[in-house]
Amino acid sequence: MKKIGLLGFGTVGCGVYEIITQNSNYLNNKVEISKILVRDINKSRNINFPKEILTDNADDIINDPDIDIIIAVIGGIHPSYTYIIKALNNGKHVVTANKAVVSKYYNVLLKTAHENKVAFLFEASVGGGIPVIKPLKQNVKINDIGKIKGILNGTSNFILTKMSEESYTFADALALAQKLGYAEADPTDDIEGYDIARKLSILSNIAFKTTTNLQDIKCRGISNITKLDIEKFNHFGKKVKLIGSAIKSGSNYCASVEPILVDKTSPLSAVNDAFNIVSVSCSTVGELQFYGQGAGKKPTANAVVCDIIDILHDDFDNPICFDENLIKSEGMKLFRGKYYIRINTDSNFDIGEITRLFEESNIKINVEKEKDTLFIFTGLVSAEKIDNIMSSIKVRNFCYARLDDNKVIA
Ligand code: NAP
Ligand code: HSE
C-alpha cells in the first residue's frame, strides 16, 4: 500500500480524494490518502473525510517517512514550489496540476526528480483531463515536432462560448466559470492568456526539447472582446477563440497567445465551453489532436490519478532537458494573417492619423465607421507589425483578432 500526502483540498484536491476513495475497485489496497494539507483546517468542506487527516503544517506531510507520493494541488508559485522541491529531495514521487510551478521551474524540478530517482509527473497541468503530456513525451522520441496549436484554457473558452451562443455578458460568464471551479484563484491568468502561455511553454519544452522562456511568449487575452465584436464575428461567419501557438523553424521558435477568428465550420469552432483541444504536428505520425474537458474537478482529478497509476506501475519517464536555450525565440516573426480591428473613437479622434500608421507600414486596409466605432480590416500582415501599430495607438477601447488563415513564413 502506497501512502499519499495531498497538498491542497480545493476543487482538484477534493476530486482526487473522491476518485481514490470512491472509485476504488482498481486502486483498492494499492493507495491511501493519509494526510491532507490545507490553509484553514476549520473551514467547512462539502465532502466526507476523516477530519484527523487534515493539517496546516506542510512538514507533517513532506517530512513523513511513511508517505511515498505527494500530490501538489495548491495554486500559485509559493509555497507550492518549495514544498515540491523538498518532497523530491526527500525521495518522494510528486504529481502536480500546478502549471505555474511546472512552467517556471521546469528544468530544476526535472533535474531534482532525476537526481533523486523519483517521478515528477504533471499531466493535469496542461489541458485538464486530456492525456497530452504522456503521448507527447513518447512521440518526441521518434518524431520531430514542428508545431503546437490549441485551445488551452477552459475558462476563457467557456466565457467566449457563453457570450456568442447564449448572449451572456463577459462578467456573468466569468462568474459562472468561477462557480463551476474552472477559473484560477486570480482569473486574470485565464482571461489575459497567461495560463495558456504557461501550458504552451510546458508543451514546447517537451516537444522542442529545450527550456522556453515565458517572457518570450507574446500574450493577448479576451478582456477587450465586447458583445459588438461577437456580433461582427457572427456576421462574417466566424467565431473567436483564444489560441496558443508555437512553431519551431530550424533553431528558432515563435510562440504566442492571441484571439483568433476561426470559420464557424472549422473543427476549432466546435470546441465549446470548458473543452480544450491540442494539435501537434509530428514528422512521422503527422498531425495528432487531443481533445477533452480542459478544466474542472473531475477531469483534472482524473489526469492526476492517471499519473498516480503510472507511478504504481513504475511507468514514468521524466523528460531530461538539461540543455537550456537550445533554440532561440524569434518573437512573433513566424505568425501572420489578416486582422479585424475595432477601435472606439471619441469626438477628438483623428481617423487620418490611424490610417496613416497602416499606410506607412505598407499594410492594405479597408475602413468602416459606424457611429463612434471604427472597424479596420487588414490585408495579410505580420503579427509583429500589427502589435507595434496597436501599441502606438493612444486609445484604450479597442480589440483586434487575427483570421485563422495563418501562414508560416519560414
Ligand atoms: P482551489 O480550489 O483554490 O484549492 C486550493 C487548495 O489549496 C485549498 O484547499 C487551499 O486550502 C489550499 N491552499 C492554498 N494555499 C495554501 C497554503 N499556502 N498552504 C496550504 N494550503 C493552501 O484550487 P484548485 O482549483 O483545486 O487548483 C489547484 C491547482 O490545480 C492550481 O495550481 C490550478 O492551477 C491547478 N489546476 C486547476 C484546475 C481546475 O479546473 N480547477 C485544472 C487544472 C489545473 P483551503 O481549502 O484551506 O483554502
Ligand atoms: N483555469 C484553468 C482553465 C484550469 O480554465 O483552463 C485548467 O488548467
Side-chain angles (χ1 to χ4, degrees), residues 8-13 37-40 43 45 73-76 79 83 97-99 124 181-182 184 295-296 300:
F9 204 31
T11 305
V12 183
L37 175 74
V38 291
R39 195 169 20 199
D40 176 4
K43 184 168 159 181
R45 294 172 197 276
V73 283
I74 293 174
Y83 295 164
N98 186 326
K99 52 265 159 143
Y182 301 151
E184 298 302 306
T300 312

Side-chain angles (χ1 to χ4, degrees), residues 338-402:
K338 294 176 179 174
Y339 276 81
Y340 158 95
I341 301 167
R342 188 256 312 147
I343 300 174
N344 271 52
T345 62
D346 59 31
S347 48
N348 300 322
F349 188 77
D350 182 0
I351 297 179
E353 193 188 316
I354 298 268
T355 50
R356 242 188 333 273
L357 280 172
F358 286 91
E359 279 162 16
E360 279 166 14
S361 300
N362 293 320
I363 302 168
K364 286 195 183 124
I365 53 169
N366 277 324
V367 183
E368 285 174 16
K369 192 164 184 328
E370 290 176 19
K371 294 187 188 150
D372 287 344
T373 308
L374 202 63
F375 295 98
I376 300 174
F377 305 93
T378 77
L380 210 58
V381 57
S382 86
E384 234 168 24
K385 257 190 188 176
I386 286 288
D387 267 4
N388 289 341
I389 290 181
M390 294 312 291
S391 56
S392 69
I393 290 177
K394 292 177 194 62
V395 271
R396 295 184 62 188
N397 190 346
F398 64 80
C399 154
Y400 61 112
R402 180 154 57 91

Side-chain angles (χ1 to χ4, degrees), residues 7-14 36-43 45 55-58 72-76 78-80 83 96-101 124-129 155 180-185 195 199 294-297 299-301:
L7 309 184
F9 204 31
T11 305
V12 183
C14 287
I36 302 175
L37 175 74
V38 291
R39 195 169 20 199
D40 176 4
I41 47 173
N42 297 314
K43 184 168 159 181
R45 294 172 197 276
T55 177
D56 57 5
N57 181 355
V73 283
I74 293 174
H78 296 294
S80 288
Y83 295 164
T96 189
N98 186 326
K99 52 265 159 143
V101 167
S125 68
V126 179
T155 303
L180 293 169
Y182 301 151
E184 298 302 306
D195 180 73
K199 291 166 177 168
K297 177 176 164 179
T300 312

Side-chain angles (χ1 to χ4, degrees), residues 108-216:
V108 67
L109 290 166
L110 288 172
K111 258 187 194 171
T112 310
H114 182 70
E115 282 159 12
N116 288 283
K117 300 188 175 52
V118 290
F120 177 65
L121 299 179
F122 44 91
E123 186 62 72
S125 68
V126 179
I130 306 172
V132 57
I133 300 284
K134 189 176 177 182
L136 199 58
K137 285 197 283 193
Q138 285 172 327
N139 276 284
V140 75
K141 290 177 180 153
I142 49 171
N143 285 269
D144 264 339
I145 296 179
K147 188 169 162 187
I148 304 161
K149 177 174 174 179
I151 296 172
L152 286 164
N153 182 269
T155 303
S156 55
N157 202 46
F158 182 85
I159 293 172
L160 293 176
T161 305
K162 291 288 170 209
M163 284 175 76
S164 42
E165 313 281 312
E166 296 174 47
S167 300
Y168 271 58
T169 63
F170 189 100
D172 287 347
L174 170 59
L176 187 53
Q178 288 175 305
K179 194 173 157 206
L180 293 169
Y182 301 151
E184 298 302 306
D186 177 356
T188 312
D189 289 352
D190 296 298
I191 292 161
E192 300 302 348
Y194 309 132
D195 180 73
I196 300 185
R198 291 180 182 122
K199 291 166 177 168
L200 193 61
S201 108
I202 296 169
L203 293 176
S204 304
N205 288 349
I206 300 169
F208 304 155
K209 300 180 199 156
T210 186
T211 314
T212 51
N213 198 338
L214 259 183
Q215 281 90 304
D216 291 334

